[in-house]
Amino acid sequence: MPTTPPFRLNDGNTMPQLGYGVWRVSNEEAATSVVDAIKAGYRSIDTAAIYDNEEGVGKAIAASDVPRNELFITTKLWNDNRSFDGALTAFDQSLKRLRLDTVDLYLIHWPGVSGEGYVDAWRALVRLKEEGRVKSIGVSNFMPPHLQRIIDATGIVPVLNQIELHPRFQQKELRTFHAQHDIATESWGPLGQGSLVADEKLAAIGRKYGKTPAQVILRWHLDNAFIVIPKSVNPSRIRENIDVFDFALDADDMRIIEAMDDKDGRVGPDPAIFG
Ligand code: NAD
């Protein structure tokens, strides 16, 4: 069974570099697919209040024979609770649905276009970390001005920013800001939400190693030191997506994939106008 290397965060904690994402997975599906993922070797699960499947994820964690301290559970604060008190209340509700007393990582899901609320929500996450109810705190879909504002307001740097990132949308400017502040980059939509798995250039690279295009893309994330959380509810794809620790891409492969970057390659919402 593949084991995922640990990734060190700026607060001293570690998390698996590859995890299992459950967006667009129902509670019923999550209760079985998360069990399949844990059996396949995944130890990190990425959910969110808005995914409406924290109960299914919690059920799978409770049913798993892997001890809680070997699992790394992430959930996220949704936009309707982006305030200090809202975040504290929403966090309690997430914990209850997950049947947990701590989560390993809590993220603000979107900064929002109004500019209101996310700084106060971040103060609440800092409080939750101080209280030991969350091991690590981070954000998602933040752009440099959002990141700078929460750092200036609290002095606390998020451990990571979970952003849309895949070969067709590589976010180089934002990654430079992350590197300057020791913020890890976590890729959502790492397979372009499935849109990249039929790409012929990636298939050609995969043939050199006996790997699929999805595996090539995931290897590219790992080789770039991104944390990555692919999603599938298909048990054989769940296994395929973690079977990426027995090869590495060479410099030519990396150059070919780097050349796929496209400023219009986004498949999800733009944080400048969403949330
Ligand atoms: P993804 O890039 O992981 O693509 C998932 C889709 O790709 C699947 O539904 C399936 O159709 C296809 N796929 C998966 N494995 C495959 C394989 N081996 N071969 C062929 N096709 C395959 O997209 P995603 O689900 O959007 O992103 C992953 C996770 O990131 C989510 O589940 C969620 O946890 C997180 N996420 C976060 C945000 C955010 O705003 N923070 C937004 C979207 C997703």
Side-chain angles (χ1 to χ4, degrees), residues 98-247:
L98 286 162
R99 308 186 198 178
L100 298 176
D101 46 24
T102 56
V103 295
D104 299 279
L105 179 61
Y106 197 41
L107 306 179
I108 300 177
H109 208 144
W110 291 87
V113 285
S114 69
E116 300 296 322
Y118 71 87
V119 178
D120 287 338
W122 182 245
R123 291 186 209 281
L125 267 61
V126 171
R127 162 84 64 88
L128 290 168
K129 178 166 163 72
E130 284 166 358
E131 291 174 352
R133 303 182 72 207
V134 181
K135 302 248 171 71
S136 293
I137 53 176
V139 296
S140 178
N141 301 302
F142 275 41
M143 299 186 292
H146 304 120
L147 292 165
Q148 194 62 61
R149 200 167 151 203
I150 59 172
I151 295 167
D152 290 346
T154 63
I156 306 293
V157 180
V159 294
L160 60 77
N161 188 15
Q162 184 184 114
I163 55 171
E164 178 179 344
L165 177 52
H166 45 78
R168 212 166 278 145
F169 195 65
Q170 298 185 19
Q171 300 258 34
K172 288 191 186 147
E173 219 173 290
L174 184 49
R175 280 161 47 196
T176 301
F177 187 94
H178 290 173
Q180 285 161 350
H181 294 82
D182 196 17
I183 299 169
T185 299
E186 181 172 37
S187 309
W188 68 252
L191 305 170
Q193 298 188 331
S195 65
L196 294 172
V197 298
D199 187 278
E200 186 40 46
K201 287 185 287 300
L202 298 170
I205 295 172
R207 281 194 286 276
K208 294 203 304 191
Y209 306 104
K211 292 289 177 181
T212 66
Q215 290 171 321
V216 169
I217 299 168
L218 294 170
R219 195 60 244 175
W220 174 81
H221 288 275
L222 298 169
D223 288 346
N224 272 299
F226 308 145
I227 300 161
V228 64
I229 45 169
K231 172 245 165 177
S232 173
V233 288
N234 173 321
S236 86
R237 285 178 173 171
I238 288 175
R239 288 192 297 275
E240 175 186 330
N241 291 348
I242 197 175
D243 184 15
V244 290
F245 296 105
D246 57 355
F247 77 114

